[in-house]
Amino acid sequence: MMIFLLFILFILLSLSLLLIIARKGKFRKLAFAFRMGSVILGIALFTYWFVEKSIDQYLKNSIALQLINELPQPIDFYIIKVEKRSEDTRMLTEHLGKIRTDHFRLEYLKMAHSDEYWVAGYIGKNMVYFSDHYVPNKNMDQIVNVNNYVDMNENLSEKAKILVDEYKNQNKGIAVWITMDLLLIFLNIGMLIRKR
């Protein structure tokens, strides 16, 4: 869904740049309004996306997960939430980032439709840690100490590998579209505010 929105925004912003040539005539005001609307839409989309990613800690049914790396080398961690809505089950993957030895990362997880999450740890392309956790009480924060290289459930860890690979590939595409859209937003803003 996000890639589709970014693609539509890319087309609108590209058209806005092309409409720079409409400086005279009856279409001038319409072209300016379209360009201004596209820029405002782009800014609104990125603002909404940033705010939506930043307010997890303030939402109801959001738990704090403190993940502590006690292993002797940095580990790259991913969280996979198992969401159940009526008969539909979704797996949502999030990247926590690389955690150094004897350091921790605090992450807020929206658990409104979930009572289970998985933790997968990688060194390079190899999964070196996997655990699954149930959340019986959403009022209590979670602490996960990673102190050995363990795979607590081989069947689930194989699923997790596939989900993490899909997440990485999807993020590469999203990163490209975000970069192009932000570049086009700044170009359009520059063209709108420049002195004639």
Side-chain angles (χ1 to χ4, degrees):
M1 181 66 179
M2 187 65 183
I3 290 181
F4 177 73
L5 289 174
L6 291 170
F7 176 70
I8 295 296
L9 183 62
F10 174 79
I11 291 173
L12 291 174
L13 292 168
S14 298
L15 283 172
S16 296
L17 274 182
L18 291 175
L19 288 174
I20 290 171
I21 57 174
R23 292 184 182 173
K24 295 179 181 177
K26 57 183 178 180
F27 294 113
R28 183 177 62 85
K29 287 185 178 178
L30 189 61
F32 181 79
F34 180 81
R35 291 171 59 206
M36 185 66 78
S38 298
V39 170
I40 290 170
L41 178 69
I43 292 170
L45 178 69
F46 281 107
T47 303
Y48 170 78
W49 187 53
F50 176 75
V51 170
E52 196 258 339
K53 292 280 183 187
S54 303
I55 62 170
D56 286 353
Q57 59 186 323
Y58 303 111
L59 296 176
K60 190 178 178 183
N61 293 323
S62 184
I63 63 165
L65 168 64
Q66 185 179 18
L67 189 60
I68 305 167
N69 181 16
E70 296 179 357
L71 293 170
Q73 45 193 147
I75 309 290
D76 200 16
F77 285 102
Y78 292 84
I79 300 291
I80 299 163
K81 287 189 301 180
V82 182
E83 280 198 352
K84 294 175 183 173
R85 299 182 184 219
S86 63
E87 296 176 4
D88 187 28
T89 300
R90 289 192 317 162
M91 308 286 194
L92 300 176
T93 309
E94 295 178 27
H95 183 215
L96 286 188
K98 196 169 275 192
I99 304 177
R100 293 177 293 160
T101 303
D102 295 326
H103 284 74
F104 70 92
R105 180 74 41 91
L106 187 63
E107 185 71 20
Y108 292 91
L109 304 177
K110 288 187 279 188
M111 302 294 284
H113 302 285
S114 177
D115 56 3
E116 179 184 1
Y117 66 90
W118 307 341
V119 178
Y122 281 77
I123 295 177
K125 294 183 178 179
N126 300 318
M127 184 186 286
V128 296
Y129 176 84
F130 179 83
S131 61
D132 57 321
H133 304 269
Y134 290 93
V135 184
N137 184 357
K138 293 178 184 172
N139 294 321
M140 288 182 62
D141 294 335
Q142 302 278 304
I143 297 174
V144 176
N145 285 302
V146 179
N147 50 26
N148 55 20
Y149 301 101
V150 67
D151 185 346
M152 291 185 180
N153 189 322
E154 287 186 17
N155 291 332
L156 293 182
S157 69
E158 288 301 318
K159 263 190 201 175
K161 284 178 188 175
I162 295 167
L163 291 167
V164 168
D165 287 341
E166 287 175 0
Y167 176 80
K168 287 178 182 178
N169 291 332
Q170 184 182 18
N171 270 3
K172 285 176 188 173
I174 288 176
V176 169
W177 287 112
I178 286 174
T179 303
M180 289 193 297
D181 283 348
L182 286 173
L183 179 63
L184 285 171
I185 286 173
F186 287 120
L187 284 172
N188 274 294
I189 290 172
M191 298 307 275
L192 283 169
I193 63 174
R194 73 176 182 165
K195 292 181 181 177
R196 297 187 177 182

